[in-house]
Amino acid sequence: MKKKVVLAFSGGLDTSFCCIYLAQERGLEVHSVIVNTGGFSEDELQEIESRAYALGVASHAVVDETENYYQSCIRFLVFGNVLKNATYPLSVSAERVSQATAIANYVKKIGADYVAHGSTGAGNDQVRFDMIFNILIPGVEIITPIRDLKLSREAEITYLHEHGVEFNAEKAKYSINKGLWGTSVGGKETLTSHDTLPEEAWPTQVTETAPKRLELSFRKGELVGIDGEKMEPVRAIQKLQAIAQPFGVGRDIHVGDTIIGIKGRVGFEAAAPLVIIKAHHTLEKHTLTKWQLSWKEQLASFYGNWLHEGQFHDPIMRDIEAFLLNTQQTVSGKVFVELQPYRFQVIGIESDHDLMSNKFGSYGEMNNAWSGDDVKGFSKIFGNQVMIWHKVNQDN
């Protein structure tokens, strides 16, 4: 019997090459799998399945990971207000970790001997996939034909033609990767340090021009309603994306450090993630104490960076998630947002947990809990040790 290989399949050139190569050159029984993290329509998934069988795979599977992707990853990015380099909501980074984990689980499910992916030797994904496979399925050999053979696009197309597979040689001007937590956009402009993406490069064009106000409802840190309509978080993300994306908000270009040590740029449109994170952070500033906010910021920064580098399965990540989850017990209420072309503004919040209650005083005007003499004494005590340091060292 032929040995089984599970191929992470997208239907593109690289994974199409892998289908033929693994069967013809390696003599393996190819089982393709695609992991949907909220970026594919039913028609797209059907088209990819048809292509897989046309390439001769023994079986093809679709693993819908959208809900688990949210529960295991996205909600913690919201709880932590994670924006890498204060810009990027980790749209692709988080998605790849979820996909690699799902593929590893599928390998175990069907008892495959090998696992394969179409990554080249140039980017982050090769590290994320390899590392997660090594962690979760350490006895399964990893095959990466494109990387190992150092193939050019032209060589792949020629090989497919020689094996009776026609492939459109015209490369798309822009590479698009769509998922629940945003869409990445790469093109010739993002290979430079100075060019920006033109309007036509963005997958969603700007069609909304009149300002629009939204009421976002959060319960324990999760978005659970829009304009009074209650819904589950995944549906809320999808609905907010449909409302906000035509305004052109959430567009930017991220400049970051790759896992393998080089700088890279990528464009992204992530209207819902950006609006949710900014709205959530505003609600937190009203409902959490200063030290909750301070430690959250430090731990969330580490969490985002470690996730970006594929280290999702490090147990420290579960420890940080437990902390983040616990901080969300009072992060409930409404956040009011106004959308305008190419920008949005958080107007304010309403919450039963608002620590800015005027029952305790008004900032800059008056307070109801202490006297001026209390403040005088507190100020002396609060600065006492620093005063002593200065006095001792000035005398010396």
Side-chain angles (χ1 to χ4, degrees):
M1 291 179 63
K2 291 183 178 181
K3 290 187 175 182
K4 295 178 182 178
V5 58
V6 166
L7 171 64
F9 188 73
S10 67
L13 175 61
D14 293 335
T15 54
S16 295
F17 172 89
C18 290
C19 277
I20 302 297
Y21 174 83
L22 292 169
Q24 298 290 331
E25 311 299 332
R26 299 292 297 265
L28 299 173
E29 183 180 282
V30 181
H31 298 265
S32 59
V33 59
I34 185 167
V35 181
N36 183 17
T37 49
F40 295 100
S41 67
E42 286 301 319
D43 288 344
E44 289 169 331
L45 290 172
Q46 185 61 53
E47 183 179 338
I48 291 168
E49 179 178 326
S50 297
R51 179 162 189 81
Y53 282 116
L55 290 165
V57 301
S59 74
H60 177 81
V62 177
V63 177
D64 191 339
E65 195 70 3
T66 307
E67 180 65 30
N68 187 51
Y69 176 34
Y70 172 80
Q71 293 293 341
S72 66
C73 186
I74 290 177
R75 64 180 178 137
F76 296 106
L77 297 179
V78 176
F79 295 165
N81 307 308
V82 175
L83 293 174
K84 186 169 174 58
N85 292 355
T87 304
Y88 179 49
L90 297 182
S91 305
V92 176
S93 318
E95 184 178 75
R96 292 293 183 262
V97 164
S98 184
Q99 290 169 335
T101 301
I103 290 166
N105 290 334
Y106 188 73
V107 168
K108 289 188 281 188
K109 179 181 177 180
I110 71 167
D113 306 282
Y114 303 93
V115 63
H117 59 89
S119 297
T120 68
N124 288 320
D125 288 346
Q126 58 175 330
V127 178
R128 294 175 182 134
F129 277 85
D130 280 12
M131 182 169 58
I132 288 173
F133 294 158
N134 284 327
I135 291 169
L136 298 182
I137 45 174
V140 176
E141 183 180 336
I142 303 166
I143 305 175
T144 54
I146 309 303
R147 179 176 63 185
D148 296 343
L149 299 173
K150 299 179 180 179
L151 294 171
S152 68
R153 181 179 175 83
E154 291 71 24
E156 292 179 58
I157 292 170
T158 298
Y159 180 88
L160 288 174
H161 284 174
E162 289 172 351
H163 287 80
V165 179
E166 293 301 316
F167 199 95
N168 184 0
E170 182 180 347
K171 185 177 181 179
K173 194 174 181 181
Y174 296 98
S175 61
I176 307 294
N177 185 89
K178 183 180 180 183
L180 179 64
W181 204 233
T183 301
S184 68
V185 186
K188 61 183 179 64
E189 294 86 0
T190 57
L191 298 177
T192 73
S193 296
H194 63 280
D195 281 338
T196 191
L197 291 166
E199 185 67 25
E200 63 269 18
W202 300 104
T204 307
Q205 296 296 290
V206 176
T207 55
E208 296 288 348
T209 56
K212 181 180 181 63
R213 288 209 172 193
L214 296 176
E215 176 189 292
L216 305 181
S217 297
F218 287 85
R219 184 181 65 238
K220 294 187 176 182
E222 298 185 82
L223 180 65
V224 294
I226 300 174
D227 289 339
E229 181 185 354
K230 302 300 181 184
M231 60 193 80
E232 292 301 309
V234 168
R235 172 68 185 124
I237 293 169
Q238 293 168 333
K239 180 167 183 176
L240 180 57
Q241 185 76 357
I243 294 170
Q245 200 66 67
F247 283 88
V249 303
R251 292 179 177 181
D252 208 339
I253 293 182
H254 167 58
V255 182
D257 298 288
T258 66
I259 305 169
I260 57 176
I262 59 176
K263 296 281 187 182
R265 292 175 89 218
V266 64
F268 65 90
E269 59 172 39
L274 265 293
V275 172
I276 291 169
I277 286 173
K278 293 297 185 182
H280 174 266
H281 192 205
T282 300
L283 184 58
E284 281 194 327
K285 287 188 285 188
H286 281 264
T287 58
L288 299 184
T289 67
K290 71 175 182 178
W291 290 116
Q292 283 180 299
L293 291 167
S294 176
W295 281 107
K296 276 185 76 275
E297 184 175 349
Q298 295 175 63
L299 289 172
S301 176
F302 174 88
Y303 185 89
N305 285 329
W306 213 216
L307 176 67
H308 169 73
E309 297 188 355
Q311 290 283 7
F312 179 72
H313 295 283
D314 188 328
I316 189 60
M317 301 294 273
R318 307 292 83 77
D319 298 332
I320 295 174
E321 288 167 358
F323 170 81
L324 291 174
L325 182 63
N326 194 64
T327 65
Q328 300 302 294
Q329 301 310 302
T330 61
V331 186
S332 298
K334 298 175 182 177
V335 184
F336 306 101
V337 176
E338 181 171 279
L339 303 174
Q340 295 190 29
Y342 303 105
R343 67 184 184 90
F344 69 94
Q345 179 182 2
V346 177
I347 306 299
I349 71 104
E350 287 181 2
S351 173
D352 292 338
H353 305 281
D354 190 356
L355 301 181
M356 200 173 155
S357 170
N358 58 17
K359 291 185 294 186
F360 306 106
S362 301
Y363 176 72
E365 295 181 12
M366 62 179 293
N367 71 80
N368 303 323
W370 57 81
S371 69
D373 287 339
D374 292 334
V375 177
K376 288 179 183 179
F378 170 76
S379 300
K380 286 182 180 180
I381 296 168
F382 192 50
N384 189 46
Q385 189 170 73
V386 179
M387 180 275 291
I388 293 171
W389 185 93
H390 279 275
K391 188 168 182 60
V392 168
N393 287 286
Q394 285 170 0
D395 290 347
N396 291 332

